[in-house]
Amino acid sequence: MKNGKVYLVGAGPGDPKLITVYGMECIKKAEVILYDRLINTSLLEYASEDTEFIYCGKEPGKHALIQEHIHQLMIEKSQQGKVVVRLKGGDPCVFGRVGEEAEILAAHDIPYDIVPGITAGIAAPAYAGIPVTHRDHASSFTIVTAHGREDKDQDELNWEALAKGSDTIAFYMGVGNLAHICHKLIDHGKSEETPVAVIQWGTTPDQRTVIADLATIEEAVKRNQITHPAIVLVGEVVRLREKIQWFEKAVML
Ligand code: SAH
């Protein structure tokens, strides 16, 4: 029997053209594809006809159970000698649980590759006309998960360091927690006037961007009914959008 292998692949942030050449090669040779909720499913059309597709979308509150099931499936299918692709949104190493999955595969002596992808925290701003660094405005960039809430004792972020030490901050999973994020940054010394962009469904035809500042963004997001999935981007670079915005007014050539 031939040996199986698992490819832990980043599908990119939404626009199907943003997957890597290597990622696409993996999809084309996959016999099984386990895919996440936020990937663009049009990518699955490149798989061969007899590829088996398994949806791994996570329901809130059922994470642990489903994650375990995903591990089992990856082990089972690859031990049957199959080429398995675990397709994740954005980059698999950025809030993608690739560490846990690779660890399990390593423990079972199952060969695997990790195929990077373009992460939403860089790509959604880029499509909104916001470079996360800029020679004159930002020389540091931090990626943060912001779903921990203080009232549930889950907020372990070093807000002091974030507020004082990072020029640009991309908060993932943060839109539901926006008020908390803004209060914490202001409390720890960021100016209320620091510009903020919230970019929903970045790099897709449904992309929407709302711009305000730390004091006003919560209200602006509510008014515009921006919800998950969205990147909350904080920093002076947000101002560049005014000059270099391109995607939301793009003309197809
Ligand atoms: N591994 C992914 C992130 C997974 S966490 C990556 O590298 O991009 C899921 C979070 O990513 C969402 O809550 C949202 O904050 C962000 N996200 C993913 N796709 C997005 C998109 N198209 N537009 C805006 N935010 C997105």
Side-chain angles (χ1 to χ4, degrees), residues 175 178-179 210 216-227:
V175 74
L178 192 57
V210 170
T216 55
I217 190 73
E218 193 200 350
E219 167 58 27
V221 159
K222 266 195 201 133
R223 202 171 50 242
N224 289 283
Q225 297 177 337
I226 301 280
T227 54

Side-chain angles (χ1 to χ4, degrees), residues 179-247:
H180 182 65
I181 291 170
C182 295
H183 290 151
K184 283 285 180 186
L185 289 177
I186 293 168
D187 282 355
H188 288 86
K190 272 243 187 269
S191 157
E192 287 194 354
E193 279 143 41
T194 310
V196 183
V198 179
I199 308 148
Q200 181 183 34
W201 285 118
T203 79
T204 76
D206 298 325
Q207 174 171 324
R208 286 201 299 148
T209 306
V210 170
I211 306 283
D213 62 28
L214 276 180
T216 55
I217 190 73
E218 193 200 350
E219 167 58 27
V221 159
K222 266 195 201 133
R223 202 171 50 242
N224 289 283
Q225 297 177 337
I226 301 280
T227 54
H228 176 88
I231 289 291
V232 176
L233 195 83
V234 178
E236 290 302 321
V237 286
V238 169
R239 297 189 202 281
L240 292 160
R241 171 175 163 86
E242 225 172 277
K243 285 193 206 144
I244 64 171
Q245 174 182 352
W246 61 277
F247 178 64

Side-chain angles (χ1 to χ4, degrees), residues 8-9 88 91-103 114:
L8 302 158
V9 177
K88 292 161 176 289
D91 183 285
C93 299
V94 178
F95 309 129
R97 309 187 81 146
V98 90
E100 291 157 62
E101 293 178 9
E103 219 176 305
I114 299 177

